[in-house]
Amino acid sequence: MKRTGFYCCAIAGCLALFAGCVEQGEKVNRYAFITNGVAEFWVLAQRGAEDAADELGVKATVLMPADAVDQQSQVEDSIARGFSGIAISPIDPENQNDLLNQAAAATVLITHDSDAPDSNRLVYVGMDNYTAGRLCGELVREALPNGGKVMLMIGRLGQDNAERRRQGTIDGILDRSVDATRSDPVNEVIEENGFTILGTLTDEFNTSKAKANAEDTLSRHPDIDAMVGLFAYNPPAIIQALEQAGKLGEIQIIGFDEDAQTLAGIESGSVYGTVVQNPYQYGYQSIELLHRIAIGDFEPDPENPAVEIAARQVRKDNVVAIREEIEALLSGGAEE
């Protein structure tokens, strides 16, 4: 299948090469694709994982945990079921290191979306979240050319992608030098270059809490200039809060990911822009890579363990094209 446009494949794949290598004895290779939560973002990743499995003639099981405890159970179950490989977006990599190493000892283990660089995973599939965060910060500077007060909102901190994305956004807003090792305190107000970053509010993947955070920000900071939602469901929660307060269009919204409400907001002008990942390719390339490693067709490079899938900025001038490509993927209408 040929895939063009925004959701093009970031690395070349020779799927025909695998056609005769699917079975080991009588067993068809089975792979687990484990997300870090339940969200619309992961629907695209699931489609990608399933498409890759269909084309390779293997099995892909997509698991969406409610929390870290649920994710641990899913990893343990995947090991017990003898899956040929596991691709995971770790919720709490520091505290899950032993679990991840257990999985790596039992099967092929890679990470996607969010990395666990201290574990024995072989490859990370996804974007550089610090760089993507800086892209988000650039959008904030465009939306507020004279500076202003900004609140950041995110699902949870502690996972690698969230930490790096937050810091990249802060550095991008403040137009700092590139330094992915920088780490600003979460609860401190930061004032630089005409901007005031009021803080970072978390919601633990609770959409009601995400909306409440936006409402609380309006109450505590009536002069707020922009709200930045760094997980897929955050911008829609901000939109709902501002709409109910009668302030939609008065306060800039900058988002992350390709939620349908976020894209619709960009089209209508109520959202300035968003940074989109490529969850379809997270799923597609994770299954493809797991299979290549399992059959000995790919040797991971420990010196360069990342397969990068670049993020992009979305504004009003390109939002329609990106929305149409996403809709085509979800409907199974990708170009042949």
Side-chain angles (χ1 to χ4, degrees), residues 148-151 174 189-192 194-198:
K149 295 184 178 181
V150 182
M151 182 67 81
L174 303 178
V189 175
I190 306 169
E191 296 186 78
E192 292 180 27
F195 286 93
T196 300
I197 299 178
L198 299 166

Side-chain angles (χ1 to χ4, degrees), residues 156-228:
R156 62 169 76 94
L157 294 171
Q159 60 192 59
D160 183 76
N161 65 338
E163 298 282 357
R164 290 172 60 83
R165 188 179 305 175
R166 170 188 175 268
Q167 191 61 53
T169 300
I170 292 171
D171 290 355
I173 293 172
L174 303 178
D175 200 21
R176 291 170 167 173
S177 61
V178 175
D179 182 1
T181 67
R182 192 181 285 118
S183 181
D184 285 295
V186 173
N187 296 319
E188 286 189 11
V189 175
I190 306 169
E191 296 186 78
E192 292 180 27
N193 290 342
F195 286 93
T196 300
I197 299 178
L198 299 166
T200 304
L201 303 179
T202 60
D203 53 63
E204 298 303 320
F205 261 73
N206 184 314
T207 55
S208 296
K209 175 63 174 173
K211 182 184 174 188
N213 282 343
E215 293 169 340
D216 184 59
T217 296
L218 287 173
S219 176
R220 293 171 51 212
H221 305 283
D223 58 345
I224 187 83
D225 296 295
M227 296 188 194
V228 182

Side-chain angles (χ1 to χ4, degrees), residues 313-325:
Q313 295 167 322
V314 182
R315 304 173 181 81
K316 197 162 188 176
D317 62 351
N318 63 346
V319 65
V320 172
I322 289 175
R323 175 178 54 76
E324 289 176 349
E325 289 170 9

Side-chain angles (χ1 to χ4, degrees), residues 136 139-140 142-144 149-151 153 214 218 224-243 247-256 261-266 268-275 314-315:
C136 186
L139 290 176
V140 176
E142 290 178 13
L144 300 175
K149 295 184 178 181
V150 182
M151 182 67 81
M153 300 177 188
L218 287 173
I224 187 83
D225 296 295
M227 296 188 194
V228 182
L230 294 175
F231 275 14
Y233 58 85
N234 289 124
I238 295 169
I239 291 170
Q240 293 168 22
L242 293 184
E243 190 169 35
K247 294 190 175 183
L248 194 61
E250 297 179 16
I251 297 169
Q252 295 285 5
I253 303 172
I254 297 87
F256 221 98
Q261 292 183 62
T262 302
L263 298 181
I266 296 173
S268 70
S270 60
V271 176
Y272 181 80
T274 189
V275 174
V314 182
R315 304 173 181 81

Side-chain angles (χ1 to χ4, degrees), residues 6 127-128 131-132 135 256 275-278 282 308-313:
F6 176 70
M127 67 181 185
D128 182 324
T131 300
L135 292 177
F256 221 98
V275 174
V276 296
Q277 303 182 67
N278 199 331
Y282 287 6
E308 185 170 353
I309 301 173
R312 294 191 184 183
Q313 295 167 322

